[in-house]
Amino acid sequence: MRQLNSTASDNNLFWDEWLQEMSILKNGRFVKVGQDLLEIFDYLDFELVGESYEKLLCPNFLSLLQAGKHSFSFSERVHTQLKGVRKDRTPVYVEVHGVIKQSGEDRYLLIKSIEEVTNKRLDDTRSREMEERFHAAFHYAAVGMALVLVNGSIQEMNYAFAETLDIHTQDTYGLQILDYLHKEDRDGYLEGCTRLLIGEVQSCEMERRFLHSSGRFVWGYLCLTLVRDVEGRPLYYIIQMQDITQKKEAEELLRKSDKLSAVGQLAAGVAHEVRNPLTVLKGFAQILQASDKESKYYALMLSEIERIEAIISEFLMLAKPQEAKFYDHDLRLLLEDVIHLMETKAIMNGVQLNKVILISNAMIQCDANQIKQVLINILQNAIEAMPSGGNIHISLSQADKHSLCLRIRDEGCGIPEDRLEKLGEPFYSSKEKGTGLGLMISYKIIEKHRGKIGVSSRVLEGTTFDITLPLKQNPNLMEEPTDE
């Protein structure tokens, strides 16, 4: 290509190759300005011819269009977006299509087309800002939120959702939402998703149990919605979850309290009516047994009558619970008394009682008889859970500086996990002939003593009861119990 030295020769060289409305820069300065560029930047032709391209560009965009004393950083064909300034100094975004030509030591930029894209750029900026706001609102929302694909894969979750279940947010890849739902709650969740999928509802609400990383279950109040694309195809579910575990636990306590109240009323009406005829039956059975000592049936009848009397005694305790009288007692001594009492029954059933005391101060304020009753109930259940014999491990240790822990662990048949939460309810027992009243009374007694009972169990391995009671403060200043 021959050397170009003038505007006229430049026009002659490129006139046939490019359209007349094309803009041309030689070494970074305009030698020809097209009508589109003039209209966009609101200049007249003579105001730009001979001027540098820098006149039209914002300073931070100058590096994107190198010419003249600068070297070109892009290829021969140019397709880029630039931020410029109009004559009135207002900003404008343009999309440039062109080509670079080299003639000797001169470098030409031929702008084939230039189009204003300010509105599109603003729309893109707004979209990015809205997306950033959405992600900020999503991740930092107080309520748990998760995006779940139609196939059940967790696409993303926010901090509240991850914290509720103790999941690391960076580990969401490959996780399935159903893996975190209680197996009994999965069908209900899938039913709600199906209703959203077929368009039957716009959103659905439900209460479901989720698995915490510690193994416990968390109750969640869910609100599910389905996001679709512009053509109506489903993209993902948005799950909002509020932790209502404490609310459900409060409802459960209220339910148990109502049931206990009903049992008390029932006991008051039944116990006295049953005890009188039962006494007559027991007396005649004893007379008949004395006259017919060879018969085995009377002994069986009397043993069953005694069991009925024991149940009625528990009924009467529910109907009219004894008032607790709190004095200072050493739990170690109370435990020794109960072990001596239960040792005979344990030996008869092939059970060995193993005791370990790991605490020097076990002073508590309690009703001794009621605490003994709790220990007898739990030890009796442990012995009956091992019909073939075994070991019961009893340990007394300090839970923290304000409380102690009495642990009773057996090697019996164990209790299934789904039944553990129902322990302590009236008429619920894992034993074939049990009424559940003994454990219910035990829970109530420990609650009165400002303590709690924890239970853990594994089927065919055994059950562990942890009884936590508050230590008496300042044991050296304790008062001696007085008789009333």
Side-chain angles (χ1 to χ4, degrees):
M1 184 178 293
R2 61 188 177 83
Q3 182 71 31
L4 301 180
N5 296 318
S6 65
T7 302
S9 61
D10 292 338
N11 289 337
N12 290 334
L13 177 64
F14 297 110
W15 186 266
D16 294 333
E17 186 177 356
W18 305 101
L19 297 174
Q20 185 175 0
E21 293 303 320
M22 176 178 56
S23 297
I24 303 174
L25 290 95
K26 175 182 178 182
N27 298 328
R29 295 186 177 275
F30 285 100
V31 294
K32 182 179 182 302
V33 185
Q35 189 62 32
D36 289 344
L37 188 146
L38 295 174
E39 291 177 357
I40 291 172
F41 289 92
D42 197 24
Y43 279 97
L44 298 176
D45 180 272
F46 68 88
E47 292 177 310
L48 291 180
V49 172
E51 294 288 340
S52 170
Y53 68 93
E54 298 179 2
K55 185 174 183 177
L56 301 182
L57 296 182
C58 288
N60 58 335
F61 270 78
L62 291 178
S63 60
L64 298 178
L65 186 62
Q66 308 267 341
K69 61 182 179 180
H70 306 287
S71 60
F72 290 101
S73 59
F74 32 69
S75 61
E76 287 192 355
R77 294 191 177 276
V78 177
H79 177 200
T80 187
Q81 284 189 6
L82 306 173
K83 182 180 180 181
V85 286
R86 295 188 178 93
K87 186 177 180 180
D88 60 3
R89 311 312 297 170
T90 58
V92 59
Y93 287 93
V94 293
E95 187 170 276
V96 177
H97 293 264
V99 65
I100 297 171
K101 296 287 185 178
Q102 184 75 32
S103 178
E105 295 186 1
D106 295 324
R107 185 164 290 184
Y108 294 84
L109 172 62
L110 296 86
I111 301 176
K112 297 167 58 178
S113 67
I114 184 169
E115 178 184 3
E116 183 179 353
V117 293
T118 304
N119 292 336
K120 179 178 180 298
R121 188 65 177 259
L122 291 175
D123 290 341
D124 292 343
T125 301
R126 291 192 190 100
S127 296
R128 285 197 303 272
E129 290 176 351
M130 289 180 65
E131 186 175 352
E132 290 172 359
R133 290 195 193 104
F134 168 78
H135 277 89
F138 174 82
H139 284 293
Y140 295 102
V143 65
M145 299 180 69
L147 306 182
V148 179
L149 300 180
V150 178
N151 63 6
S153 299
I154 300 176
Q155 185 180 35
E156 196 171 0
M157 66 175 65
N158 70 351
Y159 299 119
F161 194 98
E163 184 179 3
T164 301
L165 302 183
D166 193 24
I167 304 173
H168 298 294
T169 53
Q170 63 267 29
D171 296 339
T172 57
Y173 178 78
L175 296 182
Q176 291 286 321
I177 189 67
L178 291 182
D179 293 340
Y180 290 91
L181 278 168
H182 193 288
K183 60 183 179 181
E184 295 178 1
D185 292 348
R186 293 174 184 173
D187 290 342
Y189 168 81
L190 292 174
E191 181 182 350
C193 291
T194 302
R195 295 179 66 194
L196 289 170
L197 203 57
I198 64 178
E200 182 179 330
V201 293
Q202 297 299 316
S203 65
C204 62
E205 300 175 357
M206 61 185 75
E207 293 180 357
R208 294 292 178 265
R209 286 166 292 181
F210 285 83
L211 180 64
H212 191 269
S213 64
S214 64
R216 64 183 177 89
F217 283 100
V218 175
W219 275 99
Y221 178 79
L222 307 183
C223 179
L224 272 68
T225 54
L226 179 62
V227 177
R228 302 177 183 269
D229 62 16
V230 292
E231 296 181 359
R233 290 173 297 197
L235 295 177
Y236 52 82
Y237 298 101
I238 297 180
I239 300 178
Q240 300 180 62
M241 179 178 70
Q242 182 179 358
D243 187 352
I244 58 170
T245 304
Q246 291 184 349
K247 174 176 174 288
K248 298 296 288 187
E249 289 176 349
E251 290 176 354
E252 182 66 15
L253 287 174
L254 181 61
R255 185 184 68 83
K256 288 183 177 180
S257 177
D258 291 341
K259 185 180 288 189
L260 183 60
S261 176
V263 169
Q265 294 176 11
L266 175 65
V270 172
H272 292 291
E273 297 297 330
V274 173
R275 173 164 283 186
N276 291 334
L278 193 63
T279 303
V280 176
L281 291 174
K282 183 177 181 180
F284 278 109
Q286 289 172 338
I287 293 173
L288 291 172
Q289 184 184 33
S291 62
D292 187 7
K293 296 182 179 180
E294 294 183 2
S295 177
K296 299 179 181 178
Y297 297 114
Y298 297 116
L300 179 60
M301 290 170 59
L302 288 171
S303 69
E304 291 300 311
I305 289 174
E306 288 174 359
R307 197 167 75 86
I308 295 173
E309 285 181 330
I311 294 173
I312 290 175
S313 297
E314 291 179 339
F315 266 19
L316 287 173
M317 186 175 293
L318 291 173
K320 188 180 179 181
Q322 298 177 351
E323 182 181 352
K325 297 179 181 179
F326 288 83
Y327 299 112
D328 296 335
H329 291 282
D330 190 333
L331 186 57
R332 295 175 298 178
L333 300 180
L334 298 180
L335 184 59
E336 289 282 359
D337 292 343
V338 173
I339 289 176
H340 288 315
L341 181 65
M342 299 298 295
E343 248 176 351
T344 303
K345 183 172 182 178
I347 293 171
M348 291 174 61
N349 288 270
V351 174
Q352 178 70 36
L353 300 178
N354 304 303
K355 179 190 66 175
V356 177
I357 304 296
L358 301 173
I359 185 172
S360 58
N361 171 32
M363 296 303 299
I364 61 174
Q365 287 187 324
C366 68
D367 185 309
N369 290 330
Q370 290 191 358
I371 293 297
K372 286 181 180 180
Q373 183 180 357
V374 171
L375 300 180
I376 290 170
N377 286 340
I378 294 177
L379 284 173
Q380 184 166 309
N381 288 341
I383 292 171
E384 293 175 355
M386 297 185 291
S388 301
N391 291 283
I392 295 178
H393 303 277
I394 306 167
S395 64
L396 182 60
S397 60
Q398 191 158 338
D400 53 51
K401 64 180 181 179
H402 298 299
S403 60
L404 51 79
C405 176
L406 174 62
R407 173 169 292 180
I408 300 174
R409 178 170 61 87
D410 65 56
E411 300 172 349
C413 56
I415 305 171
E417 183 180 351
D418 58 340
R419 296 186 180 182
L420 281 177
E421 59 185 21
K422 295 183 179 180
L423 288 181
E425 294 187 10
F427 307 117
Y428 182 83
S429 175
S430 58
K431 297 185 292 185
E432 183 179 352
K433 296 184 179 181
T435 63
L437 298 178
L439 266 184
M440 186 189 69
I441 293 171
S442 299
Y443 273 81
K444 193 170 183 65
I445 289 173
I446 295 301
E447 184 180 342
K448 280 185 179 180
H449 285 74
R450 295 179 292 115
K452 61 182 179 179
I453 297 179
V455 186
S456 61
S457 183
R458 291 196 176 189
V459 177
L460 302 179
E461 292 186 15
T463 303
T464 301
F465 279 82
D466 287 322
I467 304 172
T468 305
L469 289 168
L471 275 166
K472 183 185 184 305
Q473 301 301 314
N474 298 323
N476 295 329
L477 303 178
M478 65 183 181
E479 299 178 359
E480 291 295 327
T482 59
D483 297 331
E484 293 187 3

